[in-house]
Amino acid sequence: MGRIFGTDGVRGLANRDLTAELALDLAVAAAHVLGEVGVFADQRPTAVVARDPRASGEFLEAAVVAGLASAGVDVHRLGVVPTPGAAFLTAELKADLGVMISASHNAMPDNGIKFLSRGGLKLDDAIEEAIEDRLEEPWDRPVGGAVGRIGDSHVGVEVYVKHLVSTVPVRLDGLTIVLDCANGAAYEVGPEVFRQLGAQVVTIHAEPDGININADCGSTHLGDLQRAVVEHRADAGFAFDGDADRCLAVDATGQVVDGDQILAMLALAFRDAGRLVDDTVVATVMSNLGFLRALEAEGLTVMQTAVGDRYVLEAMRRGGFSLGGEQSGHVIMNDFATTGDGVLTAAHVAARMAATGQTLARLASVVTRMPQVLVNVPDVDKSRADTDPVLLAAVKDAEAHLGVEGRVLLRQSGTEPLVRVMVEAATLERAAEVADQLAGVVRTSLAL
């Protein structure tokens, strides 16, 4: 069996790639591995299990819960809760492990399983590999009173909302905010947090039916949010993805504010509040050059990692840093969360607006974005993207022509079968030209 864990858990087409059988086996293996590495105390271990609203999450939740309980783990079902809420409640309820069933921003037919260790932390590669190695192995099954028990937790959303509200330093009275909840896991949490903080809240795509998650809405489809912000004359709009671990924004004129701009304005807010450890922000190699230059101009340091919020988290933990994130809208505030949290991010951006009296557009203008083009090339052998000599030569040639005013980045998607080609240049036309040329080389050189 090839490696099934990607950069963010196990993900695939539900009931084809990610089956009930695999979900059950993963849960059993996780219980065994986490027990052996010392996560569990002497008493019976406990787990929390949450999901986003996708229809497939219902049977996958049942399989995961069955697997954990059959391995002797007591299970608290949280129901529909954002991924960062599951992480927070894993720690808050002192559970030995947590499980989130979600495919994040992916289309509804996909689903995924993410495991969290005690304290709500994502698992490192070594533990994930150990879980894979234990799949379908024979094991001594507990019987009688040794099997796990299953119950429902009815206070999870309320406790999580209270926590989020408690982190925000100012009230949001007088602000009108539009929230696009992507018909996903934040459909309750997001609006409730902003209402409790005093904002006037307009919601769109906040009626999940199990099928409509991420469907032309949320952080990957901002058109409806842009129109709603202008229509309601709102001060800002925020869009979450299906599991609400990321957030993008729209200013009062309908212009998009991306993750780099959000991270930059929060870096300044953290610095002003004395929260920015070592005046350092952790970001990925996908961060726009404009972001890097803006923070340098403010005297701040940017530490760059591989793409993926898990790598940002690892660097933050190693260095003890308080703020990090990705251009896609994953923003991690270590003082308040163990993972990216879209609702938390949105609330703190709105709080920066309230505290400074500045518009979102003004705050976002700290970053002058370099023109950037991203081309996704599907159906290629992504495993050769870092080694194919023809492709490497093409990249080197493109970088030489772009010079200091641009850059090229090729990376394998960790969650989908494709290669991403990112190009920045002095003009959008030049970036698009180079990106299209390199995408053509990828299709030819990495053809299956």
Side-chain angles (χ1 to χ4, degrees), residues 39-329:
V39 172
F40 301 155
D42 293 335
Q43 71 270 19
R44 178 149 55 199
T46 61
V48 300
V49 177
R51 61 181 178 88
D52 71 23
R54 300 164 207 262
S56 60
E58 297 168 1
F59 78 76
L60 290 172
E61 175 193 59
V64 167
V65 169
L68 292 171
S70 73
V73 179
D74 288 340
V75 181
H76 301 285
R77 285 185 299 213
L78 300 176
V80 175
V81 175
T83 289
F88 169 75
L89 291 166
T90 298
E92 183 72 9
L93 299 176
K94 296 180 172 57
D96 295 291
L97 74 154
V99 185
M100 181 67 194
I101 300 165
S102 174
S104 190
H105 61 283
N106 283 28
M108 173 268 172
D110 287 349
N111 217 323
I113 298 176
K114 309 174 191 180
F115 291 100
L116 303 161
S117 63
R118 181 187 286 272
L121 303 175
K122 290 189 176 183
L123 305 185
D124 61 32
D125 289 344
I127 295 180
E128 288 183 343
E129 290 170 4
I131 291 172
E132 285 195 27
D133 291 342
R134 300 287 291 273
L135 287 173
E136 300 181 355
E137 71 171 3
W139 54 290
D140 186 16
R141 301 169 183 268
V143 295
V147 300
R149 306 299 299 273
I150 302 167
D152 294 315
S153 176
H154 301 289
V155 298
V157 169
E158 179 181 342
V159 172
Y160 176 48
V161 166
K162 183 178 179 180
H163 162 68
L164 293 178
V165 171
S166 73
T167 71
V168 181
V170 298
R171 288 187 57 78
L172 306 181
D173 301 279
L175 291 180
T176 298
I177 303 295
V178 181
L179 298 178
D180 182 346
C181 299
N183 292 314
Y187 79 103
E188 287 184 298
V189 169
E192 184 60 22
V193 166
F194 275 83
R195 290 188 188 109
Q196 289 193 22
L197 288 169
Q200 180 71 34
V201 181
V202 177
T203 60
I204 62 174
H205 301 301
E207 298 180 355
D209 61 8
I211 307 298
N212 58 5
I213 186 170
N214 295 326
D216 297 322
C217 60
S219 62
T220 55
H221 298 86
L222 295 172
D224 284 357
L225 180 62
Q226 291 172 292
R227 288 184 286 271
V229 168
V230 173
E231 176 187 347
H232 291 278
R233 298 182 179 179
D235 296 285
F238 299 99
F240 311 122
D241 62 338
D243 69 337
D245 64 353
R246 70 171 70 183
C247 164
L248 292 179
V250 169
D251 69 24
T253 70
Q255 293 298 306
V256 173
V257 177
D258 72 10
D260 284 337
Q261 293 168 300
I262 289 171
L263 190 58
M265 67 180 78
L266 290 178
L268 300 183
F270 270 47
R271 180 196 63 187
D272 293 350
R275 287 187 175 276
L276 193 63
V277 174
D278 291 342
D279 283 342
T280 297
V281 178
V282 180
T284 77
V285 292
M286 286 288 285
S287 297
N288 192 280
L289 279 175
F291 166 81
L292 302 177
R293 291 171 178 173
L295 266 61
E296 181 182 5
E298 292 287 341
L300 304 181
T301 299
V302 178
M303 174 183 291
Q304 291 186 281
T305 73
V307 176
D309 64 325
R310 67 182 300 167
Y311 303 114
V312 174
L313 273 165
E314 289 171 2
M316 291 175 69
R317 289 180 199 143
R318 285 195 304 269
F321 301 119
S322 52
L323 183 67
E326 295 186 283
Q327 188 184 66
S328 60

Side-chain angles (χ1 to χ4, degrees), residues 1 7 41 50 81 91 120 145 182 274 282 304 338 343 351 374 381 400:
M1 177 185 292
T7 56
V81 175
V282 180
Q304 291 186 281
T338 61
V343 179
L374 178 65
D381 182 3

